PDB file of all heavy atoms in Angstrom:
ATOM      1  N   ARG A 151      14.780 -15.496  17.287  1.00 96.00           N
ATOM      2  CA  ARG A 151      13.720 -15.004  16.350  1.00 96.00           C
ATOM      3  C   ARG A 151      12.697 -14.232  17.024  1.00 96.00           C
ATOM      4  O   ARG A 151      12.231 -13.172  16.518  1.00 96.00           O
ATOM      5  CB  ARG A 151      13.152 -16.284  15.678  1.00 96.00           C
ATOM      6  CG  ARG A 151      12.048 -15.933  14.594  1.00 96.00           C
ATOM      7  CD  ARG A 151      11.506 -17.164  13.916  1.00 96.00           C
ATOM      8  NE  ARG A 151      10.841 -18.086  14.801  1.00 96.00           N
ATOM      9  CZ  ARG A 151      10.315 -19.218  14.427  1.00 96.00           C
ATOM     10  NH1 ARG A 151      10.450 -19.629  13.178  1.00 96.00           N
ATOM     11  NH2 ARG A 151       9.718 -20.062  15.271  1.00 96.00           N
ATOM     12  N   ARG A 152      12.177 -14.684  18.182  1.00 96.00           N
ATOM     13  CA  ARG A 152      11.166 -13.974  18.887  1.00 96.00           C
ATOM     14  C   ARG A 152      11.611 -12.590  19.334  1.00 96.00           C
ATOM     15  O   ARG A 152      10.899 -11.566  19.116  1.00 96.00           O
ATOM     16  CB  ARG A 152      10.776 -14.738  20.143  1.00 96.00           C
ATOM     17  CG  ARG A 152       9.570 -14.165  20.941  1.00 96.00           C
ATOM     18  CD  ARG A 152       9.246 -15.013  22.097  1.00 96.00           C
ATOM     19  NE  ARG A 152       8.757 -16.312  21.703  1.00 96.00           N
ATOM     20  CZ  ARG A 152       8.408 -17.274  22.513  1.00 96.00           C
ATOM     21  NH1 ARG A 152       8.522 -17.124  23.793  1.00 96.00           N
ATOM     22  NH2 ARG A 152       8.015 -18.463  22.064  1.00 96.00           N
ATOM     23  N   VAL A 153      12.844 -12.476  19.826  1.00 97.00           N
ATOM     24  CA  VAL A 153      13.385 -11.168  20.263  1.00 97.00           C
ATOM     25  C   VAL A 153      13.578 -10.261  19.056  1.00 97.00           C
ATOM     26  O   VAL A 153      13.188  -9.064  19.082  1.00 97.00           O
ATOM     27  CB  VAL A 153      14.742 -11.376  21.032  1.00 97.00           C
ATOM     28  CG1 VAL A 153      15.381 -10.087  21.238  1.00 97.00           C
ATOM     29  CG2 VAL A 153      14.519 -12.117  22.320  1.00 97.00           C
ATOM     30  N   ALA A 154      14.141 -10.816  17.955  1.00 95.00           N
ATOM     31  CA  ALA A 154      14.412 -10.030  16.767  1.00 95.00           C
ATOM     32  C   ALA A 154      13.108  -9.433  16.162  1.00 95.00           C
ATOM     33  O   ALA A 154      13.068  -8.290  15.767  1.00 95.00           O
ATOM     34  CB  ALA A 154      15.165 -10.825  15.721  1.00 95.00           C
ATOM     35  N   ASN A 155      12.099 -10.332  16.065  1.00 95.00           N
ATOM     36  CA  ASN A 155      10.865  -9.841  15.497  1.00 95.00           C
ATOM     37  C   ASN A 155      10.158  -8.795  16.429  1.00 95.00           C
ATOM     38  O   ASN A 155       9.563  -7.841  15.891  1.00 95.00           O
ATOM     39  CB  ASN A 155       9.902 -11.030  15.294  1.00 95.00           C
ATOM     40  CG  ASN A 155      10.242 -11.828  14.082  1.00 95.00           C
ATOM     41  OD1 ASN A 155      10.653 -11.299  13.079  1.00 95.00           O
ATOM     42  ND2 ASN A 155      10.141 -13.135  14.160  1.00 95.00           N
ATOM     43  N   PHE A 156      10.242  -8.980  17.704  1.00 95.00           N
ATOM     44  CA  PHE A 156       9.696  -8.007  18.646  1.00 95.00           C
ATOM     45  C   PHE A 156      10.360  -6.647  18.429  1.00 95.00           C
ATOM     46  O   PHE A 156       9.646  -5.585  18.348  1.00 95.00           O
ATOM     47  CB  PHE A 156       9.881  -8.458  20.107  1.00 95.00           C
ATOM     48  CG  PHE A 156       9.362  -7.532  21.146  1.00 95.00           C
ATOM     49  CD1 PHE A 156       8.018  -7.641  21.525  1.00 95.00           C
ATOM     50  CD2 PHE A 156      10.177  -6.629  21.718  1.00 95.00           C
ATOM     51  CE1 PHE A 156       7.574  -6.715  22.504  1.00 95.00           C
ATOM     52  CE2 PHE A 156       9.770  -5.745  22.739  1.00 95.00           C
ATOM     53  CZ  PHE A 156       8.415  -5.812  23.088  1.00 95.00           C
ATOM     54  N   ILE A 157      11.684  -6.633  18.401  1.00 96.00           N
ATOM     55  CA  ILE A 157      12.411  -5.344  18.251  1.00 96.00           C
ATOM     56  C   ILE A 157      12.164  -4.770  16.854  1.00 96.00           C
ATOM     57  O   ILE A 157      11.882  -3.527  16.719  1.00 96.00           O
ATOM     58  CB  ILE A 157      13.913  -5.543  18.454  1.00 96.00           C
ATOM     59  CG1 ILE A 157      14.202  -6.034  19.837  1.00 96.00           C
ATOM     60  CG2 ILE A 157      14.664  -4.297  18.172  1.00 96.00           C
ATOM     61  CD1 ILE A 157      15.621  -6.412  20.093  1.00 96.00           C
ATOM     62  N   ALA A 158      12.181  -5.596  15.782  1.00 95.00           N
ATOM     63  CA  ALA A 158      12.007  -5.092  14.410  1.00 95.00           C
ATOM     64  C   ALA A 158      10.640  -4.499  14.244  1.00 95.00           C
ATOM     65  O   ALA A 158      10.471  -3.459  13.588  1.00 95.00           O
ATOM     66  CB  ALA A 158      12.210  -6.227  13.469  1.00 95.00           C
ATOM     67  N   ASP A 159       9.576  -5.136  14.808  1.00 94.00           N
ATOM     68  CA  ASP A 159       8.217  -4.555  14.691  1.00 94.00           C
ATOM     69  C   ASP A 159       8.168  -3.161  15.233  1.00 94.00           C
ATOM     70  O   ASP A 159       7.666  -2.241  14.588  1.00 94.00           O
ATOM     71  CB  ASP A 159       7.256  -5.417  15.516  1.00 94.00           C
ATOM     72  CG  ASP A 159       6.491  -6.410  14.613  1.00 94.00           C
ATOM     73  OD1 ASP A 159       6.675  -6.334  13.366  1.00 94.00           O
ATOM     74  OD2 ASP A 159       5.807  -7.247  15.151  1.00 94.00           O
ATOM     75  N   ARG A 160       8.707  -2.995  16.421  1.00 95.00           N
ATOM     76  CA  ARG A 160       8.638  -1.601  17.033  1.00 95.00           C
ATOM     77  C   ARG A 160       9.562  -0.618  16.286  1.00 95.00           C
ATOM     78  O   ARG A 160       9.170   0.551  16.115  1.00 95.00           O
ATOM     79  CB  ARG A 160       9.058  -1.730  18.537  1.00 95.00           C
ATOM     80  CG  ARG A 160       7.825  -2.229  19.295  1.00 95.00           C
ATOM     81  CD  ARG A 160       8.194  -3.133  20.473  1.00 95.00           C
ATOM     82  NE  ARG A 160       6.950  -3.675  21.041  1.00 95.00           N
ATOM     83  CZ  ARG A 160       6.258  -4.705  20.511  1.00 95.00           C
ATOM     84  NH1 ARG A 160       6.697  -5.274  19.384  1.00 95.00           N
ATOM     85  NH2 ARG A 160       5.163  -5.115  21.100  1.00 95.00           N
ATOM     86  N   TYR A 161      10.693  -1.093  15.851  1.00 95.00           N
ATOM     87  CA  TYR A 161      11.590  -0.227  15.120  1.00 95.00           C
ATOM     88  C   TYR A 161      10.995   0.285  13.797  1.00 95.00           C
ATOM     89  O   TYR A 161      10.959   1.480  13.520  1.00 95.00           O
ATOM     90  CB  TYR A 161      12.894  -0.977  14.845  1.00 95.00           C
ATOM     91  CG  TYR A 161      13.903  -0.159  14.084  1.00 95.00           C
ATOM     92  CD1 TYR A 161      14.708   0.747  14.735  1.00 95.00           C
ATOM     93  CD2 TYR A 161      14.117  -0.352  12.720  1.00 95.00           C
ATOM     94  CE1 TYR A 161      15.680   1.474  14.020  1.00 95.00           C
ATOM     95  CE2 TYR A 161      15.059   0.290  11.960  1.00 95.00           C
ATOM     96  CZ  TYR A 161      15.841   1.287  12.685  1.00 95.00           C
ATOM     97  OH  TYR A 161      16.771   1.991  11.964  1.00 95.00           O
ATOM     98  N   PHE A 162      10.482  -0.646  13.015  1.00 94.00           N
ATOM     99  CA  PHE A 162       9.940  -0.196  11.706  1.00 94.00           C
ATOM    100  C   PHE A 162       8.576   0.473  11.785  1.00 94.00           C
ATOM    101  O   PHE A 162       8.308   1.332  11.034  1.00 94.00           O
ATOM    102  CB  PHE A 162       9.882  -1.445  10.751  1.00 94.00           C
ATOM    103  CG  PHE A 162      11.236  -1.849  10.297  1.00 94.00           C
ATOM    104  CD1 PHE A 162      11.839  -3.070  10.727  1.00 94.00           C
ATOM    105  CD2 PHE A 162      11.928  -1.089   9.357  1.00 94.00           C
ATOM    106  CE1 PHE A 162      13.069  -3.461  10.273  1.00 94.00           C
ATOM    107  CE2 PHE A 162      13.238  -1.453   8.937  1.00 94.00           C
ATOM    108  CZ  PHE A 162      13.776  -2.645   9.348  1.00 94.00           C
ATOM    109  N   LEU A 163       7.762   0.054  12.737  1.00 94.00           N
ATOM    110  CA  LEU A 163       6.507   0.790  12.938  1.00 94.00           C
ATOM    111  C   LEU A 163       6.766   2.243  13.338  1.00 94.00           C
ATOM    112  O   LEU A 163       6.048   3.142  12.906  1.00 94.00           O
ATOM    113  CB  LEU A 163       5.659   0.080  13.983  1.00 94.00           C
ATOM    114  CG  LEU A 163       4.934  -1.171  13.536  1.00 94.00           C
ATOM    115  CD1 LEU A 163       4.270  -1.883  14.730  1.00 94.00           C
ATOM    116  CD2 LEU A 163       3.893  -0.876  12.444  1.00 94.00           C
ATOM    117  N   ASN A 164       7.800   2.460  14.106  1.00 95.00           N
ATOM    118  CA  ASN A 164       8.171   3.790  14.496  1.00 95.00           C
ATOM    119  C   ASN A 164       8.640   4.613  13.277  1.00 95.00           C
ATOM    120  O   ASN A 164       8.336   5.815  13.131  1.00 95.00           O
ATOM    121  CB  ASN A 164       9.299   3.757  15.572  1.00 95.00           C
ATOM    122  CG  ASN A 164       9.586   5.147  16.127  1.00 95.00           C
ATOM    123  OD1 ASN A 164       8.703   5.862  16.540  1.00 95.00           O
ATOM    124  ND2 ASN A 164      10.874   5.534  16.132  1.00 95.00           N
ATOM    125  N   LEU A 165       9.430   3.949  12.357  1.00 94.00           N
ATOM    126  CA  LEU A 165       9.778   4.622  11.120  1.00 94.00           C
ATOM    127  C   LEU A 165       8.585   4.999  10.297  1.00 94.00           C
ATOM    128  O   LEU A 165       8.548   6.082   9.605  1.00 94.00           O
ATOM    129  CB  LEU A 165      10.762   3.759  10.325  1.00 94.00           C
ATOM    130  CG  LEU A 165      12.169   3.484  10.936  1.00 94.00           C
ATOM    131  CD1 LEU A 165      12.962   2.703   9.992  1.00 94.00           C
ATOM    132  CD2 LEU A 165      12.888   4.803  11.306  1.00 94.00           C
ATOM    133  N   ILE A 166       7.581   4.154  10.246  1.00 94.00           N
ATOM    134  CA  ILE A 166       6.399   4.442   9.487  1.00 94.00           C
ATOM    135  C   ILE A 166       5.586   5.584  10.144  1.00 94.00           C
ATOM    136  O   ILE A 166       5.099   6.505   9.451  1.00 94.00           O
ATOM    137  CB  ILE A 166       5.497   3.153   9.377  1.00 94.00           C
ATOM    138  CG1 ILE A 166       6.168   2.164   8.414  1.00 94.00           C
ATOM    139  CG2 ILE A 166       4.108   3.507   8.809  1.00 94.00           C
ATOM    140  CD1 ILE A 166       5.495   0.803   8.383  1.00 94.00           C
ATOM    141  N   LYS A 167       5.503   5.576  11.477  1.00 92.00           N
ATOM    142  CA  LYS A 167       4.741   6.580  12.160  1.00 92.00           C
ATOM    143  C   LYS A 167       5.444   7.966  11.971  1.00 92.00           C
ATOM    144  O   LYS A 167       4.774   8.968  11.877  1.00 92.00           O
ATOM    145  CB  LYS A 167       4.669   6.267  13.658  1.00 92.00           C
ATOM    146  CG  LYS A 167       3.710   5.155  13.955  1.00 92.00           C
ATOM    147  CD  LYS A 167       3.713   4.828  15.444  1.00 92.00           C
ATOM    148  CE  LYS A 167       2.732   3.682  15.815  1.00 92.00           C
ATOM    149  NZ  LYS A 167       2.832   3.313  17.247  1.00 92.00           N
ATOM    150  N   LYS A 168       6.758   7.987  11.921  1.00 91.00           N
ATOM    151  CA  LYS A 168       7.518   9.213  11.754  1.00 91.00           C
ATOM    152  C   LYS A 168       7.595   9.606  10.253  1.00 91.00           C
ATOM    153  O   LYS A 168       8.244  10.603   9.910  1.00 91.00           O
ATOM    154  CB  LYS A 168       8.915   9.057  12.312  1.00 91.00           C
ATOM    155  CG  LYS A 168       8.935   9.002  13.825  1.00 91.00           C
ATOM    156  CD  LYS A 168      10.401   8.881  14.291  1.00 91.00           C
ATOM    157  CE  LYS A 168      10.486   8.975  15.820  1.00 91.00           C
ATOM    158  NZ  LYS A 168      11.883   8.875  16.341  1.00 91.00           N
ATOM    159  N   ASP A 169       7.008   8.833   9.380  1.00 90.00           N
ATOM    160  CA  ASP A 169       7.027   9.107   7.953  1.00 90.00           C
ATOM    161  C   ASP A 169       8.438   9.006   7.328  1.00 90.00           C
ATOM    162  O   ASP A 169       8.672   9.571   6.296  1.00 90.00           O
ATOM    163  CB  ASP A 169       6.465  10.480   7.649  1.00 90.00           C
ATOM    164  CG  ASP A 169       5.478  10.480   6.474  1.00 90.00           C
ATOM    165  OD1 ASP A 169       5.027   9.341   6.079  1.00 90.00           O
ATOM    166  OD2 ASP A 169       5.215  11.526   5.831  1.00 90.00           O
ATOM    167  N   VAL A 170       9.330   8.237   8.016  1.00 91.00           N
ATOM    168  CA  VAL A 170      10.602   7.980   7.407  1.00 91.00           C
ATOM    169  C   VAL A 170      10.416   6.944   6.275  1.00 91.00           C
ATOM    170  O   VAL A 170      11.022   7.030   5.201  1.00 91.00           O
ATOM    171  CB  VAL A 170      11.582   7.421   8.455  1.00 91.00           C
ATOM    172  CG1 VAL A 170      12.953   7.039   7.790  1.00 91.00           C
ATOM    173  CG2 VAL A 170      11.845   8.481   9.549  1.00 91.00           C
ATOM    174  N   ILE A 171       9.578   5.891   6.564  1.00 94.00           N
ATOM    175  CA  ILE A 171       9.127   5.018   5.514  1.00 94.00           C
ATOM    176  C   ILE A 171       7.705   5.436   5.235  1.00 94.00           C
ATOM    177  O   ILE A 171       6.830   5.388   6.080  1.00 94.00           O
ATOM    178  CB  ILE A 171       9.154   3.508   5.978  1.00 94.00           C
ATOM    179  CG1 ILE A 171      10.613   3.106   6.286  1.00 94.00           C
ATOM    180  CG2 ILE A 171       8.571   2.618   4.891  1.00 94.00           C
ATOM    181  CD1 ILE A 171      10.685   1.712   6.861  1.00 94.00           C
ATOM    182  N   THR A 172       7.459   5.849   4.014  1.00 95.00           N
ATOM    183  CA  THR A 172       6.103   6.450   3.644  1.00 95.00           C
ATOM    184  C   THR A 172       5.332   5.479   2.746  1.00 95.00           C
ATOM    185  O   THR A 172       5.780   5.114   1.689  1.00 95.00           O
ATOM    186  CB  THR A 172       6.271   7.788   2.960  1.00 95.00           C
ATOM    187  OG1 THR A 172       7.074   8.663   3.750  1.00 95.00           O
ATOM    188  CG2 THR A 172       4.912   8.425   2.674  1.00 95.00           C
ATOM    189  N   ILE A 173       4.176   5.106   3.270  1.00 96.00           N
ATOM    190  CA  ILE A 173       3.283   4.191   2.488  1.00 96.00           C
ATOM    191  C   ILE A 173       1.999   4.981   2.240  1.00 96.00           C
ATOM    192  O   ILE A 173       1.241   5.287   3.124  1.00 96.00           O
ATOM    193  CB  ILE A 173       2.949   2.939   3.270  1.00 96.00           C
ATOM    194  CG1 ILE A 173       4.285   2.151   3.609  1.00 96.00           C
ATOM    195  CG2 ILE A 173       2.039   1.994   2.387  1.00 96.00           C
ATOM    196  CD1 ILE A 173       4.079   0.927   4.425  1.00 96.00           C
ATOM    197  N   ASP A 174       1.781   5.354   0.947  1.00 96.00           N
ATOM    198  CA  ASP A 174       0.611   6.152   0.604  1.00 96.00           C
ATOM    199  C   ASP A 174      -0.686   5.335   0.467  1.00 96.00           C
ATOM    200  O   ASP A 174      -1.757   5.881   0.580  1.00 96.00           O
ATOM    201  CB  ASP A 174       0.931   6.953  -0.665  1.00 96.00           C
ATOM    202  CG  ASP A 174       1.788   8.171  -0.440  1.00 96.00           C
ATOM    203  OD1 ASP A 174       1.888   8.585   0.748  1.00 96.00           O
ATOM    204  OD2 ASP A 174       2.345   8.683  -1.420  1.00 96.00           O
ATOM    205  N   GLY A 175      -0.561   4.064   0.165  1.00 95.00           N
ATOM    206  CA  GLY A 175      -1.752   3.259  -0.011  1.00 95.00           C
ATOM    207  C   GLY A 175      -1.433   1.870  -0.520  1.00 95.00           C
ATOM    208  O   GLY A 175      -0.305   1.558  -0.863  1.00 95.00           O
TER     209      GLY A 175
END
């Protein structure tokens, strides 16, 4: 669980930073 959450955090935050997942507000 610790490893999966560590990887997932970085993976999805990167998608948000790259605007692949777009959150307007």
